[in-house]
Amino acid sequence: AAQPENADIYDLKGRIQLQLGQPGAAGESLDRALELEPEHARALHAQASIAAAANNLEQAFDFATRSAGATEAVNEKAAPLYTAAQIAMLLGRRADAIALFGETVRVQPGHVGAANNLAWELAETGGSLDRALELAQRASSVSPSSTTLDTLGWVQLKRGSVKEAT
């Protein structure tokens, strides 16, 4: 109330409301943040989540890509880039998703989800299997889960390394 023109306050309020399971109220708070600062990166990213949950995938993709573009700190770009990549996959935009997964890994090399997804997509689409292997190994070494180990095995199979894949 003391800072009615502060976009950061409305952004914070909206993200808290999201955590409390209040997407309608969160959307209103985030809309106000964006009225005050149209390229507020965190508010745009939060709006992407709301739009995706409502199955408004085109709008979610727009919010996520705008958020990535509005984010000044390189280390903060990974989250909206990864969100945009995931939404691109849901929209059937595989080439866009691959590019966005690649950009996510570029700005945050240790991003397990992006490395894993990019490795899978490279193996599936005939991309560089050497790059896919490097990414899959990185993801599975950081987070040895069924998902990352499955991707590593798949990449090894695609490379013809049956023994290593098993």
Side-chain angles (χ1 to χ4, degrees), residues 31-48:
D31 283 344
R32 180 66 180 134
L34 293 171
E35 285 173 17
L36 295 168
E37 189 180 322
E39 296 303 306
H40 192 286
R42 288 184 310 271
L44 288 165
H45 194 211
Q47 284 288 41

Side-chain angles (χ1 to χ4, degrees), residues 9-34 42-44 46-51:
I9 298 295
Y10 287 101
D11 165 61
L12 178 60
K13 180 180 178 183
R15 288 185 291 123
I16 290 170
Q17 289 166 319
L18 266 179
Q19 292 296 313
L20 293 173
Q22 303 168 356
E28 291 174 15
S29 296
L30 295 165
D31 283 344
R32 180 66 180 134
L34 293 171
R42 288 184 310 271
L44 288 165
Q47 284 288 41
S49 297
I50 293 171

